[in-house]
Amino acid sequence: MTLFRQLLLFILILILTLFTVSWVTRLQATRTYLQQQLQSHAQDTATSLGLTISAYSAQDDMAAAETIVNTIFDRGYYRLIVLRDLDGQVRIKRSVEVAMDTVPAWFIHLVPLEPPRATAGIMNGWFQAGTILVESHPGFAYSSLWDTTVNMTRWYLLLAALACLAGGMGLRLLLRPLARVEDQARALSQRRFEIQEPLPRTRELRQVVQAMNQTTLRVKTMFEEQARTAQQLRRQAYSDPLTNLGNRRYLENQVASWMDRPGTEIRGAFLLVHITGLKELNEEKGFQAGDERIQAVADLLRARTGGIPGAAVARLTGGDFGVFLPDTGLDEASHVADAICQRFWDQGAENHPLSDTGSIGGVVFGRKTSFSSLLAGADSALQAASGKGPNQWVIRRIPTRIEDVVRGRIGWKKVLEQAIAEEAIVLFGQACVALNDPQRVLHREILARLRESDGGLLRAEQFVPLAHRLGLITRLDRSVVEKTMALTKEQAGADQLAINISPTSLADGPFTTWLLARLEETGRDRPRLIFEFTEFAAVHHLELLAELGRRIRDLGHGYGIDHFGQGFANFGYLKSLQPDYVKIDRAFTRELVSAGSDSHFFIHSLCSVAHSLGIAVHGEGVETTDQHLLLRGLSLDGLQGYHLDQPREIA
């Protein structure tokens, strides 16, 4: 029972007690008063009759005496009048039965009134001639007492109701600070740090609110310190402090994690961007001018590759930048390099510091290639680009023993449109299992494949980047979601299914409207859906994702953050989003070689921050036994990877 109800019940009991005591006291006082009035009334009547009849007693005029008695009795206030002589003989008698139809019998029994009797003498001169007996009728007293009691009860009940209403309103007003403290505590359990202002005037409540505010601020400070510690560690280990891009270690991990994915086609591009004349600029205008040029190039590369899924940019040395473009062919890589160089020329026309900035060399690959080989090939192409003049680029293809299937832009668009129209999407699923119980499936992530006309399957890594560039990704996401929603729990082999949604679809209003409408139609026999968004989508569409996530949760489903740690976003956005879970990017899992490594400490710090917000943490890309054993020593909630479960076709 709530404190409000307890206090209200106490007030009700108190009012009832006061009402009962007052009611009984008032009733008893009224009864005593009426009893006295009856006694006085009977005595006055007896005395009056005695004096009046005595005047006729000397003439022995009983007729006149009887007339007087009848006149008095007929008024209705008497139950009995008896005139006796000295011998006790009844000379005159009038009586009536007591009838009180307007008063309940239980009330008469509860509040008895004894009808009083009074006597007076009848004189004949100096001698007594007889006696007169008068007994009052109690009916009028009972009727008066009943009416008084009913009216008194009504007034008391009305006053009690008004007192309860006023007390309840007063209690709500007085307890409002406690209700806000309850909301504040609930918000704190949900990792929302709310401060209650203004403070209540009541001293005790003020102290409680102040203590709660201090606790909230202390917990908020602890969370922010944890987040800063983890963020600083990640930046120190994987970030370039001048540009806030990744460093060589970060880029090497991104490339290696991409190359190590089992069962997938390996293809992509690697660009090496070199700033020309940086040493001379530092000597001529100082290091600040050189730093400004480096930061300008970093901003340009960040802006140009921001919309490419999985792209990673890093500063390798003083004036060299590396750009990794997964699932990118020669045409797409050439387009990116040409756009960057064209921007160099455009800025030069505006007398911007990027004029005559440098050269770009790159390679495209279609098989597993080491980072050093990519760097060597890009460096060779860079030398060729430098020989062509300022702001030039050269991109070469690394020879491969496996001939790629080459399709032009129009060919790929036809393939994708036909696959979507004919619903040639095949769903595979890979389990994310509990850390300490690999047999317990937390959810199964949906992996889409496209079935070609010859029966072969194209993996997502092959067609998703193309779908992005061809403007078909939203249609593709819609088809995958639609087919996933048709699965039952038995078909899915899990109670929860995770579906990846692209940033483009997240920002597409008609898509999100359709998605919410379809979720409302989902039956209870269907799996709970968890929509995964990349960290890039979370950071760049924070408000959109927060609103969509809230509405998804209202419909009984959930959402998570995928590839967490791939960018360098501040951990603070987790507090705003409150996703069901985050999945650590496979680059950190791959680098996890010992309990003392930076990745180990980063994952441990991330778990502390996420768990303090009530967010689960899953590790993906678990491919080896050593990785599994090291991750089991951390505070993760779930693991996913080929070492634990192979993707299998489910629809």
Side-chain angles (χ1 to χ4, degrees), residues 167-339:
M169 294 176 62
L171 280 178
R172 285 194 181 278
L173 184 62
L174 290 174
L175 295 179
R176 187 176 298 171
L178 285 183
R180 290 199 295 265
V181 168
E182 180 184 357
D183 295 338
Q184 191 177 12
R186 187 177 295 109
L188 185 60
S189 67
Q190 297 171 355
R191 306 313 188 265
R192 291 184 290 110
F193 309 109
E194 299 178 357
I195 301 300
Q196 186 178 158
E197 291 180 345
L199 296 176
R201 296 181 179 180
T202 307
R203 185 181 64 181
E204 291 80 1
L205 292 178
R206 176 187 289 267
Q207 292 173 349
V208 171
V209 172
Q210 286 177 333
M212 192 63 189
N213 285 347
Q214 290 173 359
T215 300
T216 300
L217 289 174
R218 190 173 295 112
V219 173
K220 181 181 180 181
T221 301
M222 291 171 58
F223 163 75
E224 291 175 346
E225 288 177 353
Q226 284 183 328
R228 279 196 299 268
T229 299
Q231 189 70 22
Q232 289 172 359
L233 170 66
R234 182 170 63 166
R235 290 193 177 279
Q236 290 172 2
Y238 303 104
S239 174
D240 174 60
L242 177 61
T243 62
N244 286 327
L245 294 176
N247 55 18
R248 178 182 178 125
R249 180 180 181 183
Y250 163 78
L251 187 62
E252 189 171 357
N253 285 336
Q254 292 295 317
V255 172
S257 66
W258 182 265
M259 298 293 181
D260 288 345
R261 294 179 307 163
T264 59
E265 182 186 27
I266 303 299
R267 62 189 297 269
F270 182 85
L271 307 181
L272 187 60
V273 180
H274 176 71
I275 300 178
T276 304
L278 184 60
K279 180 179 178 181
E280 291 77 8
L281 180 62
N282 288 333
E283 293 176 351
E284 180 181 350
K285 296 185 178 181
F287 287 100
Q288 182 175 354
D291 290 345
E292 289 177 355
R293 178 171 292 191
I294 292 173
Q295 290 172 339
V297 173
D299 292 340
L300 172 59
L301 296 179
R302 185 185 292 110
R304 186 59 191 84
T305 61
I308 301 176
V313 183
R315 181 187 177 201
L316 303 180
T317 59
D320 291 332
F321 294 84
V323 180
F324 176 58
L325 304 174
D327 287 321
T328 301
L330 181 60
D331 292 341
E332 293 84 2
S334 299
H335 178 72
V336 172
D338 185 68

Side-chain angles (χ1 to χ4, degrees), residues 494-506:
D495 293 333
Q496 298 189 118
L497 293 178
I499 308 175
N500 289 278
I501 301 295
S502 70
T504 303
S505 298
L506 172 62

Side-chain angles (χ1 to χ4, degrees), residues 478-515:
R478 182 166 178 164
S479 297
V480 173
V481 172
E482 192 75 64
K483 193 160 188 177
T484 303
M485 285 184 173
L487 297 173
T488 63
K489 292 181 180 180
E490 291 73 19
Q491 291 173 325
D495 293 333
Q496 298 189 118
L497 293 178
I499 308 175
N500 289 278
I501 301 295
S502 70
T504 303
S505 298
L506 172 62
D508 187 86
F511 174 83
T512 56
T513 301
W514 167 84
L515 177 64

Side-chain angles (χ1 to χ4, degrees), residues 99-110:
M100 292 172 286
D101 297 334
T102 59
V103 181
W106 63 266
F107 184 76
I108 296 174
H109 178 74
L110 180 66

Side-chain angles (χ1 to χ4, degrees), residues 337-645:
D338 185 68
I340 295 173
C341 287
Q342 185 59 48
R343 184 59 178 161
F344 289 165
W345 283 115
D346 294 342
Q347 297 284 26
E350 302 169 7
N351 294 322
H352 192 274
L354 294 186
S355 61
D356 190 16
T357 295
S359 306
I360 300 176
V363 292
V364 294
F365 56 91
R367 57 182 174 84
K368 185 174 181 179
T369 308
S370 67
F371 180 77
S372 59
S373 297
L374 293 177
L375 197 59
D379 184 64
S380 176
L382 178 64
Q383 300 301 322
S386 299
K388 295 171 61 176
N391 300 337
Q392 298 294 323
W393 59 271
V394 170
I395 296 181
R396 298 169 176 172
R397 183 187 297 275
I398 294 180
T400 177
R401 293 168 295 179
I402 305 174
E403 190 67 23
D404 293 332
V405 179
V406 180
R407 291 186 176 97
R409 182 183 181 89
I410 297 177
W412 269 114
K413 187 173 183 179
K414 181 179 179 181
V415 169
L416 291 174
E417 288 180 337
Q418 182 177 357
I420 295 172
E422 296 177 356
E423 298 183 353
I425 298 173
V426 181
L427 301 184
F428 280 65
Q430 185 180 40
C432 178
V433 300
L435 179 70
N436 296 318
D437 185 7
Q439 301 303 315
R440 182 164 67 91
V441 177
L442 300 179
H443 65 259
R444 196 173 295 278
E445 183 176 351
I446 295 298
L447 307 174
R449 305 284 189 265
L450 287 186
R451 192 179 299 279
E452 295 190 283
S453 57
D454 60 358
L457 291 176
L458 291 175
R459 294 183 174 86
E461 295 82 359
Q462 295 173 280
F463 61 83
V464 167
L466 294 167
H468 272 284
R469 287 189 283 272
L470 296 173
L472 299 174
I473 190 62
T474 299
R475 288 179 58 188
L476 185 63
D477 283 345
R478 182 166 178 164
S479 297
V480 173
V481 172
E482 192 75 64
K483 193 160 188 177
T484 303
M485 285 184 173
L487 297 173
T488 63
K489 292 181 180 180
E490 291 73 19
Q491 291 173 325
D495 293 333
Q496 298 189 118
L497 293 178
I499 308 175
N500 289 278
I501 301 295
S502 70
T504 303
S505 298
L506 172 62
D508 187 86
F511 174 83
T512 56
T513 301
W514 167 84
L515 177 64
L516 294 172
R518 285 292 289 117
L519 289 177
E520 289 183 353
E521 303 169 2
T522 304
R524 295 188 176 181
D525 62 326
R526 305 297 180 184
R528 179 175 182 261
L529 301 180
I530 306 175
F531 297 94
E532 292 188 358
F533 302 90
T534 63
E535 187 178 53
F536 173 84
V539 173
H540 288 80
H541 304 288
L542 187 62
E543 294 183 359
L544 283 176
L545 182 54
E547 174 63 19
L548 179 62
R550 181 188 63 79
R551 299 182 66 181
I552 287 174
R553 280 208 177 115
D554 290 342
L555 295 172
H557 301 277
Y559 72 105
I561 303 299
D562 198 11
H563 300 306
F564 186 82
Q566 190 178 55
F568 292 96
N570 193 294
F571 286 176
Y573 77 86
L574 292 179
K575 185 173 62 176
S576 303
L577 292 181
Q578 294 283 312
D580 290 46
Y581 60 77
V582 295
K583 282 186 177 178
I584 300 174
D585 187 66
R586 64 176 58 245
F588 296 100
T589 306
R590 180 190 176 277
E591 199 188 24
L592 192 63
V593 294
S594 68
S597 64
D598 289 337
S599 288
H600 188 279
F601 188 71
F602 168 73
I603 295 173
H604 176 74
S605 300
L606 169 62
C607 289
S608 298
V609 173
H611 289 161
S612 69
L613 294 172
I615 302 172
V617 182
H618 302 323
E620 60 179 356
V622 183
E623 316 298 350
T624 67
T625 303
D626 291 341
Q627 289 175 338
H628 186 199
L629 292 176
L630 285 170
L631 288 169
R632 288 188 63 178
L634 293 168
S635 302
L636 293 167
D637 300 282
L639 299 174
Q640 182 178 344
Y642 276 72
H643 177 70
L644 300 164
D645 183 60

